[in-house]
Structure formats: C-alpha cells, structure tokens
Amino acid sequence: MLGQNQIKIYEVSEISTRIKSDIKADKTLQEVFVRGEVSNFSVVQGNAYFDIKDRVSKLHVVMFSVKKEVEEIKEGCTIIVHGKVDFYVKEGRVNLIADNFYVGGAGEIYLMLEQLKEKLRAEGLFAIEKKRPIPQYIFRVGIATSIQGAVIHDILHALSSAKGLEIYIVDTLVQGENAKESIVHALDILNCVQPDVIILARGGGSIEELWAFNEEIVVRAIRNSKVPVITAIGHETDRTLADLASDMSAPTPTYAGKFVYERYMNAIQKVMESTKKLHETAVEYIHEYTTTLDFLASKLSKNELWRSVQMQISHTNILRKSLNNAVLAALTSKKMMLEKLTISLEALLPEHILKLGYAYITKDGKIVISGKELEIGNSIEINFVDAVIDAKVEGKEVKEWKLEKVSRKN
C-alpha cells in the first residue's frame, strides 16, 4: 500500500475549485455562442433552466432574471445561446451562464452579423483613431433619410430655429432589398455637395428592418466619405455596423438635429465675437497712435519742426477718419447683409409664399410633403391664402427623387 508521502491526495472540493479556476482563466470560454436543441426547459423564481444538446453531447444552461422573451423558447426548438462557461462546484457540473439567446433564423442572422463585424473590425473600419472629427462650427448639413417617415420631421424640427443654416436632403430608402444601394448613392450625392457634416438616419425597428445599415457596402461608404458622418439609426438600444463605422453615433434622430443646431449657433456666436473684436482692436490702435503723436508734439518748440509735426498730426487725423469710415462701412455692410438675410427669411414664411399665389396640400389635416403619400381617389384640401378648396386625386405621375436644397444662407 502506498504511503501518503508518495502521492498527492486531493479533496473533492480542491479538484472542483481547480476545474472552475481553469475554466475561468480560459478567455475563449468567457464569451461563446453555442447552438443546440432545447430540452427540459423550466422557469423557477424568475430564472430559466434548460439543456441544449446535439447528437453527441448536452450542456446545461442557466439564465438569471429572465424577461418575457423567454416565452419564445420551446421544447425541441433550435436556439443559439450567448454567454460564458462556468463550473458549479457544489454539484460538480459545467453550466453555460447565458445573457442572451436567438431562436431559429434570428440566431443565424445574428451569427452572420457577428462574423461580418469581426471581419470589418480586423480591417480597422471601427477604429477610434480613424474617425473624423465633427466640425466645431457647422454652416451646412446634409441629411440622408426617407422623406416619408417621421424621422425627417423630427430632425427639421430640431433645426427649425437655425435660421440661415443650409440644409440638403436626399430622399433615401432605409429598408428593403434596394436600401443599401440607395444609402450608398445618397452618401455619394452629399459628398459632391460637400456640407460640413452628414446625418444618416432612420427610425427604430427589428434587426431585419435595420439590416441595410449592417451591409458591408454601407459601412465602407461611411468610412470612404470625405465628409464626417453622424448616424442616428433607431433608438438607443439599436446598434448597427453603420453606427460603429460612423464618426459619431447619435442615440436618436432628434438628438442628431439638436447637436447640429448647437454647432451652428456656436458658429454664429464666433462670427459675432470676431467682428466685435476687430472693431475694438481698430479703435484701440487709432487711440494709441494718436496719443503718441500728441505726446511728441507737446515736447517740440514752436519752430519749423513744430509746423512739420502739425502737418503730420493733420495727416494722422485724416488717416484716423479714413480708418473710422472703413470700419463703419464694414459694419454697415454686415448690417445690410443681416437685413437682406432677414428679408429673405421672411420671404420664406408660409403666409408670404401663399400671398404670391402658391398653395399647399393637406390630407386628413396633415401637410403632404411628397406625392408618394397620395393615391388616386384620395380626398385632399388645397390651401390658399384666403380659402381652402376640397379636391380629389384623379391621376398621379411619380417623379424620380432628387437632391433638394431646403435653405441657403446669404
């Protein structure tokens, strides 16, 4: 019989603890995707317990504090589980501690997305150091989104007080089979216009509805853009590859609009401060130069040199008046530009436009922005400055979408 000094005898808990420690040290086991068939599913006190198996083996899964979505998990269904591998020392059992799951086809889509994400990440397309800085001062903004959704209204509402901001809108498909090409083309168009920044936006949706923003050609188009791109896709919980590639990811379209508005107001404030500083510097320089000449003149005797200095003082006064006139003319020019801009902006008011003979169309009390919103037979109202005419759509001709310049600063 072997003595205890010849071999190492372990306690059960020692081996179990060692196994747990080794599993925890293996980083590849701390974030895994595992696919299998569900069996023995149950929910106890808010926690889900079940097995996933294939033809060879079975793995126990534990998911703590489950939500209503676990109702999708059924006996025998195929599931992909995301989580980390752990060892339960008390029972000597390997568990998969899950934090998320994908049932059926959704799991396949998510895996495909993860594979593409890792490929693009390896190329450096999501690297922080490659992101372009958003300009501190914004005077021109391009927007790529659908003009039929609520998103464009949210953004324009956030920018409504930015009088003089140039806004360029490209009507863009944001969902469906042709959406990815439409998004890339919209970015190309806006790069030709060269605004200070581009907002790429759409509302929230499922992973399938947002899939166009996970397409590789869209990610590459964002990175190849010469203009910084702000993505505002869905809600805060929605996160696409386009968000990872963009120079800034806004939680909502409204937030993106407010961000641009603040940068525009910063630009206007900077222009006003620079103009004021220029005027103050000119006045200060004239004052110092005149004071110096007056001091020198007081030190001279009343002779020919004095008369010469008097002539210089007279010349200086002329220069001072000329400089004052130049500064005044510059300020007057800025004032006229501001008044002209104000007149131009007032001319854009709905009341003024209607007085020129224009009208706008409403349907069910809402303004119709695009003819795509109307169908033959729809009842509409034609709104003039002094009357509202009821009408019905008898015919419809669809025109190709094009770049629309909404406003222009002077």
Side-chain angles (χ1 to χ4, degrees):
M1 183 174 180
L2 294 174
Q4 291 187 358
N5 60 338
Q6 293 178 292
I7 60 174
K8 169 67 175 175
I9 300 176
Y10 293 92
E11 299 292 337
V12 173
S13 60
E14 290 182 281
I15 295 298
S16 296
T17 302
R18 176 67 178 272
I19 294 173
K20 182 179 180 68
S21 177
D22 288 347
I23 290 176
K24 189 174 182 179
D26 189 341
K27 293 183 178 180
T28 60
L29 297 178
Q30 298 309 300
E31 184 179 6
V32 295
F33 293 90
V34 185
R35 175 169 46 206
E37 180 182 313
V38 175
S39 64
N40 302 319
F41 179 82
S42 64
V43 177
V44 180
Q45 295 182 345
N47 303 322
Y49 303 90
F50 57 96
D51 297 323
I52 54 175
K53 60 184 180 179
D54 56 21
R55 295 180 179 179
V56 178
S57 186
K58 179 173 68 175
L59 182 62
H60 189 65
V61 180
V62 179
M63 183 178 293
F64 298 109
S65 302
V66 297
K67 299 178 181 179
K68 186 178 180 181
E69 286 78 5
V70 296
E71 295 177 357
E72 300 177 28
I73 302 177
K74 306 294 182 183
E75 286 286 329
C77 74
T78 299
I79 188 174
I80 295 175
V81 181
H82 176 266
K84 64 179 181 179
V85 178
D86 190 28
F87 186 77
Y88 187 30
V89 173
K90 187 175 180 179
E91 295 186 4
R93 181 173 63 191
V94 175
N95 292 327
L96 177 60
I97 308 301
D99 56 32
N100 211 342
F101 66 89
Y102 308 92
V103 177
E108 299 295 337
I109 292 175
Y110 189 83
L111 279 182
M112 185 168 58
L113 176 61
E114 287 297 315
Q115 291 170 356
L116 178 57
K117 180 192 296 185
E118 290 307 313
K119 170 190 172 183
L120 299 178
R121 189 191 305 279
E123 294 184 30
L125 296 185
F126 305 146
I128 300 296
E129 59 271 17
K130 290 189 177 182
K131 294 186 181 296
R132 296 158 293 234
I134 306 299
Q136 190 66 30
Y137 307 118
I138 295 177
F139 293 94
R140 295 153 53 92
V141 59
I143 304 174
T145 190
S146 170
I147 64 171
Q148 296 182 0
V151 168
I152 186 61
H153 296 283
D154 293 341
I155 296 175
L156 292 179
H157 179 72
L159 297 174
S160 60
S161 298
K163 307 302 181 184
L165 174 68
E166 290 189 23
I167 304 174
Y168 298 87
I169 301 173
V170 178
D171 187 12
T172 310
L173 295 175
V174 293
Q175 181 177 333
E177 183 178 353
N178 299 321
K180 58 184 179 181
E181 290 84 2
S182 180
I183 294 170
V184 171
H185 190 56
L187 293 176
D188 289 341
I189 292 292
L190 290 173
N191 266 267
C192 293
V193 178
Q194 285 290 297
D196 298 314
V197 71
I198 295 171
I199 297 176
L200 174 60
R202 73 146 283 160
S206 66
I207 186 172
E208 292 84 2
E209 292 171 333
L210 298 176
W211 191 256
F213 296 89
N214 289 318
E215 293 285 359
E216 183 173 350
I217 63 170
V218 171
V219 172
R220 295 190 184 280
I222 291 173
R223 292 311 319 149
N224 292 334
S225 173
K226 297 178 181 178
V227 180
V229 177
I230 299 174
T231 51
I233 302 166
H235 308 295
E236 293 187 54
T237 55
D238 297 323
R239 189 72 170 168
T240 66
L241 299 188
D243 291 310
L244 296 178
S246 66
D247 303 294
M248 173 183 164
S249 175
T252 63
T254 297
Y255 182 95
K258 290 181 178 179
F259 177 85
V260 170
Y261 169 76
E262 291 176 0
R263 291 293 172 97
Y264 173 71
M265 295 309 296
N266 288 343
I268 295 301
Q269 182 66 27
K270 185 65 176 179
V271 170
M272 295 176 63
E273 291 175 355
S274 298
T275 301
K276 181 181 178 181
K277 186 176 181 180
L278 175 63
H279 178 261
E280 291 175 347
T281 300
V283 171
E284 182 179 355
Y285 177 78
I286 293 171
H287 177 72
E288 290 180 357
Y289 188 59
T290 302
T291 301
T292 300
L293 287 179
D294 289 342
F295 173 76
L296 293 175
S298 67
K299 300 296 183 181
L300 298 175
S301 59
K302 296 181 180 180
N303 51 26
E304 291 297 326
L305 184 58
W306 168 250
R307 285 193 293 273
S308 177
V309 170
Q310 287 284 54
M311 292 177 61
Q312 292 296 326
I313 291 175
S314 177
H315 180 63
T316 299
N317 287 334
I318 294 173
L319 291 177
R320 178 174 59 186
K321 291 180 180 179
S322 297
L323 185 54
N324 274 332
N325 290 337
V327 172
L328 180 61
L331 292 176
T332 301
S333 176
K334 293 293 183 181
K335 181 179 179 182
M336 292 177 64
M337 291 175 63
L338 181 59
E339 291 175 348
K340 183 178 178 182
L341 177 60
T342 301
I343 293 172
S344 299
L345 291 175
E346 289 177 349
L348 296 176
L349 291 174
E351 297 83 357
H352 184 82
I353 295 175
L354 292 176
K355 290 180 180 179
L356 296 177
Y358 291 95
Y360 66 92
I361 296 174
T362 56
K363 175 188 173 186
D364 298 328
K366 296 182 179 179
I367 295 177
V368 177
I369 298 177
S370 169
K372 297 177 182 179
E373 300 179 31
L374 298 177
E375 300 295 339
I376 295 176
N378 285 164
S379 296
I380 59 175
E381 301 80 37
I382 304 175
N383 297 262
F384 294 91
V385 69
D386 57 354
V388 178
I389 305 299
D390 293 327
K392 179 178 290 186
V393 178
E394 298 291 345
K396 176 177 177 181
E397 178 183 354
V398 178
K399 296 184 178 180
E400 294 294 330
W401 59 268
K402 61 181 181 179
L403 173 67
E404 175 188 357
K405 183 174 182 181
V406 175
S407 65
R408 184 182 183 88
K409 75 176 188 302
N410 291 323

